[in-house]
Every structure is written in C-alpha cells, then in structure tokens.
C-alpha cells in the first residue's frame, strides 16, 4: 500500500475542518501536482473473499485513477485522469490473463452481468467485445446531439439513453429519454425534460439513469428530481428524490439517502431503519451500497468524517448474512481522494468482490485546485 507523498499533501493544508488526523493507512497515494508526481506507484486490483480474512492481487498496471471490473474478473476498465486543463483523461482496458494494457477510443462502462462494454466513440455509442475487439454501432451521436448517459437493462432486452439537442431553444425539451429494443434496434422517445448545467456532461461523467433489477422500470434524472418510466404500462411517475435508490437484486431491500442520511428499507414489511451511527450528525453514514448479484450481501462506502487535508475519511463496510467487516482489514480509514480506494465490482458468483488501490485524485493535483470528474 502507498505512503508516498502523503506527508507533503497534508502539509499543504493548515486549517482543521473537523476531527484530528489519525494515523494514515499504508495505501496513501501522492497528492502533489501531477507534474511533480513522476513516479506514481502502480495501480493494484485485489479480489476479496467474503470471509473477511484474505485478499488476492489479481492485477497490477501503471497508475490509474478510476476503474471497474468486468463480471468474470478478467478485464479491468480504467481511466488515467488529466489534471491540467489541456490534458485529456484517457480510457484503458487491462486483460488480467494476457497482462496487456490497451488504450480505448472512448469512455465506457460494463453491461450488467457481461464482459461487454458500452463505449462512446466520437459521439456515437457502441457495444464493444473485449475479447474479439468487435464494435457494433447502437446509437449515432454528434457534437450537437451528445449522449449524456446510457445503460442496458439487467435482462439485456433494452437500452435506455439520454440524448441532448444543443440546438433546441426550449430547455424543457432539450434532453430526451430514449428506449431501444436490443433485438430489433427500434427506438422511441419516451420523455423530454430539463437538465441543469451540472448534469449535462459530454464525457458521460454524471449518472443520470438507474435500472431497477427486475428490468421493468428505469429511473432517470429530470427537471431537478427523479422520474420513473414503467415499461409494462409506459406510464411515467415523479418521485420526491434527489438521488437514486439502490435495490437488492430480489427487490426485497432498498437503500436510499434522504437529507444526507442513509436508510435501509425492508420492502416486505415496509420498515425503514437509519444506517448512520449518529442520527444527529452527518458523520459515520453509509453513502452508497453495492448489492451482491445474489442474496442480500453488500459492500458499502461509509463516510466517517472530514479531514484536515481537505479530504474525507471513509471505509468499505461489507455485510453478509453471517458477519460484517470493514476494508482495509486493519480497521483504519482511508482518505477518499488521496488514497483513492474504490469498490470495482462483484464477481459473477457473488462470493467475492474487487477493490482497486488507485492513484490520488486530490484537488491539489488539478490546475487551480479545481477538481473535475473527467
């Protein structure tokens, strides 16, 4: 795990925001400006078994800043962040079997349950097979009609995407929700709506779509809230939510965040319970839950408290039927952007998951200290 440059990163800041800084984990990565960080430690990917006792190094390659694992565990999608205004973020694919790292032509994300990427290339959306390198056009886009977000339903039957028309003068009609049948490739517009400037990104860096595990409903951001398209009826509903909920794959449990606090709801009995340790405080809260493909096991990001390095302390909390444990295993927290520990995905059988020890994305590395997603 990485210690390099952490002391320098923390020394850059003198104002204490909250709790005193505890001992850092050995995973800390560099927070010096990108130009000075010429020897960043390699990115390491670990597979962690649900007994909470062991991890295996499954991949190692040059420093990256974001990553996700294919369901089989063979491929890693990764991005090398551009920190200067004239420096682009570059996407890569790493094959854990051949140890080959290859640059991709656009940003991408995995299809649920498949070793297949949806990749944006010159404004158009493609399916991409990492084994054969075959690309299949799904949606044609242009600079004036960028695709903002996209996702295939869990059952693979439908693609939904949000496309913006920058020449449309009416902001209430500028963004459209499309649904495409993956068998016939026929598509239609299901809604038109407003999105704020912060939600409109040509780099697909803002999550605007969430499929319900049953594939019968899709949630999407629109008009400052969350809307729902019910596929069987075609009806649309508006929810009083600001962020997407997260459902277990059998739809019996739901995690959501309301007014900064996390709640877990048993949908069978309608009972909801807070996930935070201190209801009167924003500290020690679950902020995101990643459900296992089977059962009710989950990995969650837990916010602990802010640090005096203009960062925050977090842990990964793992909950199974029989036990709970945290990662890193020694129980110490990690700094969210300096150490940049990330959950990368579940193994297809749900018996293990992947974690990435990635390079720092601390705000001090960006031009003008203005961090950005891509």
């Amino acid at each position: 795990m990485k210690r390099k440059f952490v002391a320098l990163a923390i020394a850059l800041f003198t104002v204490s925001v909250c709790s005193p800084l505890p001992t850092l984990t050995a995973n800390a990565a560099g927070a010096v400006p990108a130009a000075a960080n010429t020897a960043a430690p390699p990115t390491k990917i670990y597979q962690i078994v649900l007994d909470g006792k062991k991890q295996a190094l499954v991949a190692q390659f040059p420093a990256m800043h974001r990553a996700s694992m294919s369901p089989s565990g063979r491929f890693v999608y990764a991005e090398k962040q551009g920190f200067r205004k004239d420096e682009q973020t570059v996407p890569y694919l790493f094959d854990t079997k051949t140890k080959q790292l290859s640059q991709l032509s656009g940003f991408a994300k995995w299809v649920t349950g498949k070793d297949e990427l949806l990749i944006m290339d010159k404004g158009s959306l493609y399916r991409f097979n990492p084994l054969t390198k075959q690309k299949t056009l799904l949606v044609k886009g242009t600079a004036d009609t960028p695709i903002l977000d996209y996702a295939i339903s869990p059952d693979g039957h439908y693609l939904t995407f949000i496309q913006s028309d920058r020449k449309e003068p009416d902001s209430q009609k500028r963004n459209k929700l499309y649904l495409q049948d993956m068998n016939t490739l026929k598509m239609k517009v299901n809604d038109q709506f407003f999105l704020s400037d912060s939600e409109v990104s040509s780099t697909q860096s803002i999550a605007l779509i969430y499929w319900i595990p049953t594939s019968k409903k899709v949630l999407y951001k629109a008009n400052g809230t969350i809307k729902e398209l019910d596929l069987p009826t075609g009806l649309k509903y508006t929810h009083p939510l600001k962020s997407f909920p997260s459902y277990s794959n059998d739809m019996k449990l739901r995690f959501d965040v309301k007014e900064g606090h996390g709640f877990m709801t048993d949908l069978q009995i309608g009972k909801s319970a807070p996930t935070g340790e201190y209801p009167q405080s924003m500290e020690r809260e679950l902020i995101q839950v990643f459900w296992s493909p089977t059962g009710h096991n989950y990995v969650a990001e837990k916010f602990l408290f802010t640090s005096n390095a203009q960062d925050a302390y977090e842990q990964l909390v793992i909950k199974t039927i029989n036990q709970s444990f945290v990662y890193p295993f020694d129980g110490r927290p990690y700094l969210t952007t300096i150490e940049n520990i990330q959950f990368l995905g579940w193994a297809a059988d749900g018996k293990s998951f992947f974690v990435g020890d990635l390079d720092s994305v601390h705000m001090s590395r960006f031009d003008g200290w203005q961090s950005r997603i891509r």
Side-chain angles (χ1 to χ4, degrees), residues 30 32-35 37 64-65 80-89 359-372 374:
V32 296
N37 188 14
M64 298 288 167
H65 304 95
K80 188 171 184 63
Q81 174 73 56
F83 293 104
R84 297 188 299 271
K85 292 180 180 179
D86 60 349
E87 188 178 36
Q88 298 296 316
T89 296
D359 196 18
S360 168
V361 288
H362 191 267
M363 60 187 297
S364 63
R365 302 191 69 182
F366 294 86
D367 279 351
W369 296 52
Q370 297 295 319
S371 60
R372 59 188 183 276
R374 284 189 173 129

Side-chain angles (χ1 to χ4, degrees), residues 100-121:
Q100 290 185 338
L101 181 68
S102 55
Q103 185 175 332
L104 294 173
S105 59
F107 299 127
K109 53 187 173 181
W110 296 107
V111 174
T112 301
K114 289 186 177 182
D115 279 16
E116 180 181 68
L117 286 167
L118 295 180
I119 184 169
M120 288 295 302
D121 188 356

Side-chain angles (χ1 to χ4, degrees), residues 40 114 136 172 237 240 264-265 319:
K114 289 186 177 182
T136 304
Q172 301 298 320
Y237 305 91
M264 191 70 72
T265 301
K319 179 72 168 63

Side-chain angles (χ1 to χ4, degrees), residues 28 57 108 123 162 183 187 195 200 205 233 237 251 263 276 281 303 353:
L57 180 66
I162 294 174
N183 293 319
M187 65 179 76
L195 288 173
V200 176
S205 58
T233 65
Y237 305 91
M251 293 294 292
F263 293 87
S281 169
F303 168 77
F353 60 93

Side-chain angles (χ1 to χ4, degrees), residues 259-281:
E259 298 181 353
H261 296 282
F263 293 87
M264 191 70 72
T265 301
D266 186 329
L267 298 174
Q268 298 175 97
I269 61 177
K271 184 178 180 179
S272 184
T275 60
E277 296 179 27
Y278 305 108
Q280 75 280 5
S281 169

Side-chain angles (χ1 to χ4, degrees), residues 111-114 116 118 127 138 151-160 180-185 211-216 231:
V111 174
T112 301
K114 289 186 177 182
E116 180 181 68
L118 295 180
R127 300 180 81 153
L138 290 175
I152 289 181
S153 60
D155 64 11
H157 291 166
Y158 293 97
L159 166 71
T160 187
Q180 182 179 40
D181 187 304
M182 296 303 291
N183 293 319
T184 65
L185 297 184
W211 276 98
I212 300 298
T214 60
S215 299
K216 294 182 179 180
L231 269 66

Side-chain angles (χ1 to χ4, degrees), residues 43 45 58-59 61 66-70 73-78 92-96 101 104 110 117 344:
T43 283
I45 310 297
V58 296
F61 44 85
R66 266 179 305 280
S68 57
M69 205 79 182
S70 71
R74 175 165 175 176
F75 298 99
V76 187
Y77 170 74
Y92 290 90
L93 183 72
F94 181 74
D95 187 330
T96 64
L101 181 68
L104 294 173
W110 296 107
L117 286 167
L344 303 188

Side-chain angles (χ1 to χ4, degrees), residues 21-22 24 302-307 311-314 333-336:
L21 192 67
L24 298 181
K302 185 175 185 178
F303 168 77
L304 300 178
F305 44 82
T306 54
S307 82
D311 207 338
Y313 285 101
E314 290 188 4
Y334 56 83
L335 284 162
T336 306

